[in-house]
Amino acid sequence: MPPTPGTALPQGDLGLLDAPVARELLTGTAPAHLGYLATDGSPRVVPTWFHWTGDELVTVTYVAGPGVVHPARRLAALRADPRVAVTVDDDGPPPRVLTLRGKVTVEEVRGVAPEYAAAARRYLGTEAADEMLAELDHPRLRQARIGLRPQWVGLLDFTTRLPSAQGGLAPEAGRPA
């Protein structure tokens, strides 16, 4: 039986995004966890909805609009240091974890970012999302689109891909373990 796509690839390989487990996590309803450095240098992790475009993991936050007191604080931090780590995981059993690393871009948009609308529909269902999005429709609404094109990908499924503490991945042919 041939190996499942992505099982023979080393951690860090962008080809892991094509593995079935990665695709399921990128299209499921588990939130992403965005890790970054705050402006004071301390690490932060924010759970967030996301939308996978096929090339980019996009999260969205608020900049201005009704009820928005100030832009999300992570925006200043991400503009100052765009390096992030993101995980999308589920509890299993067995648990599955997709980790992405790279640098984000931050782009402000007027109104609701398309990726936010897509994520809302995936997380809430079409009817509930459409109701929520209609409530957000306001001329002063501005959102920030935070886009990550992964530069490093890690994948654990605790079946064919284990963390190194539990035996790790089989070494590639010709490469020392």
Side-chain angles (χ1 to χ4, degrees), residues 155-172:
L155 184 62
L156 300 172
D157 66 11
F158 290 84
T159 303
T160 61
R161 300 182 65 85
L162 297 168
S164 61
Q166 294 181 347
L169 301 173
E172 294 177 44

Side-chain angles (χ1 to χ4, degrees), residues 52-129:
W52 175 248
T53 68
D55 297 312
E56 191 175 41
L57 185 136
V58 178
T59 69
V60 177
T61 192
Y62 291 87
V63 176
V68 178
V69 177
H70 56 76
R73 298 199 194 285
R74 67 179 168 261
L75 296 174
L78 293 171
R79 286 181 174 120
D81 184 350
R83 297 173 300 157
V84 301
V86 174
T87 64
V88 181
D89 53 83
D90 66 15
D91 293 334
R96 303 174 311 162
V97 181
L98 176 66
T99 303
L100 311 174
R101 294 185 208 153
K103 293 181 179 179
V104 295
T105 58
V106 178
E107 174 189 356
E108 290 189 22
V109 296
R110 293 198 176 279
V112 174
E115 295 88 354
Y116 186 79
R121 289 184 179 99
R122 191 173 89 246
Y123 285 98
L124 300 176
T126 302
E127 187 176 324

Side-chain angles (χ1 to χ4, degrees), residues 61-72 135-142:
T61 192
Y62 291 87
V63 176
V68 178
V69 177
H70 56 76
E135 290 177 19
L136 292 177
D137 188 19
H138 192 279
R140 292 185 315 171
L141 179 68
R142 285 193 351 240

